[in-house]
Amino acid sequence: MKYKRILLKLSGEALVGDLDFGIDPKRLHQYAREIKAIKELGVEIAIVIGGGNIFRGVQAEESGIDRVQGDYMGMLATVINGMALQSALEKAGLYTRLMSGLTMDQVCEPFIKRKAVRHLEKGRVVIFGAGTGNPYFTTDTAASLRAIEMQADVVLKGTRVDGVYSADPEKDPTATKYTNITFQEVYEKGLNIMDMTAFTLCHENKLPIIVFDMNKAGNLLALVQGEEAGTLIS
């Protein structure tokens, strides 16, 4: 097993699955199975999930909603996704804790670093909702920040594509895939992997990122066992 403690970043959009909007139960239970498989190896797992399948703060501005208000609405969307994922993981037989950057005692614990680390040590899967709890920060930044706070070995960024390409592979058929790339090369080539705040946090704290296709069964398991799946940025 290559990684003892990981931070898994999932996009909210990935939960849409075959639907147009919201949460696809099939996708949710697929993710739960994948996460359970690595938990059974003894990996300590923290998860940050986006909210784009329900609401995006950036879109709010276009509809006339104040940016700060829109960002808080987006944070609430991530808590909804976190609750759904928590439920699926518990159905799969895992022990979980949902911790939030915003206080909402009825549905989740407030984020306290020491408690979060203790949950991980006790073998619980910890889901972090509500981003950093601050407007103007993305869930990518929340993932980087929580990974550093939890002293994770790696950030695993689960996406729809199987790694980092020289251009958008969905638009450019000539795009080439990188297996390994340095943080510096990403800056120089202007590749869009995660927002710059999140990326710089990882770079400055020497925290590697792996971008991989979360929707391909077995990828997550392969990664934690040290196999190649996706792109390693270090």
Side-chain angles (χ1 to χ4, degrees):
M1 189 172 73
K2 187 167 184 185
Y3 302 110
K4 185 175 188 304
R5 181 178 292 173
I6 65 157
L7 186 295
L8 176 62
K9 168 62 170 65
L10 299 173
S11 77
E13 283 93 337
L15 288 183
V16 175
D18 298 328
L19 307 178
D20 296 325
F21 176 80
I23 300 167
D24 181 350
K26 291 202 295 286
R27 179 59 50 82
L28 198 59
H29 293 298
Q30 179 209 333
Y31 283 2
R33 286 193 301 273
E34 303 274 327
I35 291 162
K36 184 179 184 179
I38 65 166
K39 186 74 214 142
E40 286 172 346
L41 292 179
V43 180
E44 294 176 1
I45 307 163
I47 301 170
V48 169
I49 191 159
N53 55 320
I54 298 169
F55 191 85
R56 291 176 74 89
V58 178
Q59 287 170 340
E61 280 191 286
E62 295 161 18
S63 57
I65 296 171
D66 173 72
R67 168 68 196 267
V68 172
Q69 196 79 331
D71 280 357
Y72 280 117
M73 290 165 76
M75 287 179 221
L76 296 178
T78 71
V79 175
I80 292 172
N81 283 340
M83 291 169 75
L85 184 61
Q86 180 179 39
S87 182
L89 291 172
E90 287 181 346
K91 267 204 174 79
L94 299 179
Y95 293 100
T96 69
R97 287 291 187 274
L98 176 59
M99 303 187 94
S100 167
L102 297 173
T103 309
M104 43 184 100
D105 296 340
Q106 283 82 353
V107 293
C108 47
E109 297 179 15
F111 170 72
I112 298 166
K113 177 189 176 287
R114 286 172 186 268
K115 279 185 86 170
V117 170
R118 192 79 188 103
H119 289 321
L120 290 172
E121 289 169 349
K122 285 185 170 179
R124 296 164 185 151
V125 177
V126 181
I127 304 163
F128 297 115
T132 64
N134 301 291
Y136 295 100
F137 290 95
T138 66
T139 50
D140 276 348
T141 301
S144 300
L145 179 62
R146 296 290 182 246
I148 294 158
E149 288 174 311
M150 295 302 104
Q151 296 180 313
D153 301 321
V154 66
V155 173
L156 302 180
K157 184 172 164 65
T159 62
R160 291 178 307 183
V161 287
D162 62 347
V164 176
Y165 284 78
S166 55
D168 185 343
E170 291 175 356
K171 292 174 186 164
D172 183 353
T174 64
T176 53
K177 182 185 163 189
Y178 301 103
T179 307
N180 292 284
I181 191 167
T182 65
F183 282 102
Q184 199 54 45
E185 285 173 312
V186 171
Y187 289 125
E188 285 164 8
K189 294 175 193 296
L191 301 174
N192 188 15
I193 292 164
M194 40 171 57
D195 82 80
M196 203 45 83
T197 310
F199 193 74
T200 303
L201 265 175
C202 289
H203 185 196
E204 288 178 349
N205 289 277
K206 298 180 173 59
L207 179 65
I209 304 164
I210 299 177
V211 178
F212 73 106
D213 181 359
M214 181 67 189
N215 299 335
K216 187 182 171 194
N219 261 0
L220 186 59
L221 186 62
L223 278 176
V224 298
Q225 291 178 315
E227 294 171 36
E228 264 185 25
T231 302
L232 171 65
I233 303 138
S234 59

